[in-house]
Amino acid sequence: MKILGIEHIGVAVHSIDERAAFWEYVLKINRTATETVADQGVSTAIFDTGKGKIELLEAIDSDSPIAKYIAKRGPGIHHICLEVDDISSAIKELTENGISVINETPSVGVEGYFITFIHPRSTGGVLVLVELAQKQKP
Ligand code: ZN
């Protein structure tokens, strides 16, 4: 497993429409994607600084993990995403070392990345989820 860098920071918000202006117009960060990931119950907006992205996450139904997160803790940083070179080998290496991942088969996230999350019980002092993502090869 090779970590290539911080891909993005996921921020849970009540409303992308209400929060996007800060990132887009106050900080002037390019909004590069707006996408719904139905199987995760979220709508997302991506702001690309050129060295790491900010991903705003809004629940599209009350059962989604983001809805539950906001109900419990309020809006805020939900996860840190690390880019990996090969997500299948990363998952294999982690699980062989007793680290739990949420998707043992990577799912497809925003921008077509193959993703999984490391289970919070395995990340100790890190109070946010850690996501791993592999860019699809063209
Ligand atoms: Zn993410």
Side-chain angles (χ1 to χ4, degrees):
M1 167 174 59
K2 183 165 170 44
I3 303 294
L4 303 176
I6 295 176
E7 212 288 324
H8 64 264
I9 295 172
V11 180
V13 298
H14 285 297
S15 161
I16 286 174
D17 284 347
E18 283 174 17
R19 303 311 312 157
F22 170 74
W23 302 95
E24 196 165 9
Y25 301 117
V26 178
L27 298 184
K28 300 180 181 69
I29 304 171
N30 252 355
R31 181 168 174 161
T32 53
T34 303
E35 212 175 306
T36 296
V37 183
D39 68 344
Q40 289 173 39
V42 291
S43 176
T44 67
I46 302 284
F47 300 87
D48 191 351
T49 70
K51 289 187 176 180
K53 301 167 188 165
I54 302 294
E55 176 186 68
L56 299 188
L57 301 151
E58 176 186 338
I60 54 171
D61 63 65
S62 56
D63 280 344
S64 87
I66 293 299
K68 290 176 186 161
Y69 178 90
I70 288 180
K72 205 167 159 188
R73 302 177 193 220
I77 293 178
H78 175 262
H79 64 265
I80 294 170
C81 178
L82 301 174
E83 185 178 356
V84 294
D85 60 342
D86 180 338
I87 196 158
S88 297
S89 77
I91 290 170
K92 187 168 178 284
E93 188 176 328
L94 290 169
T95 53
E96 281 172 0
N97 285 290
I99 306 295
S100 304
V101 297
I102 291 173
N103 307 96
E104 292 204 10
T105 300
S107 64
V108 178
V110 178
E111 298 182 299
Y113 278 77
F114 296 115
I115 65 161
T116 191
F117 289 91
I118 299 175
H119 199 284
R121 73 171 161 256
S122 292
T123 52
V126 179
L127 295 175
V128 295
L129 276 171
V130 177
E131 178 182 18
L132 300 178
Q134 178 200 327
K135 196 181 259 182
Q136 288 198 34
K137 300 184 172 63

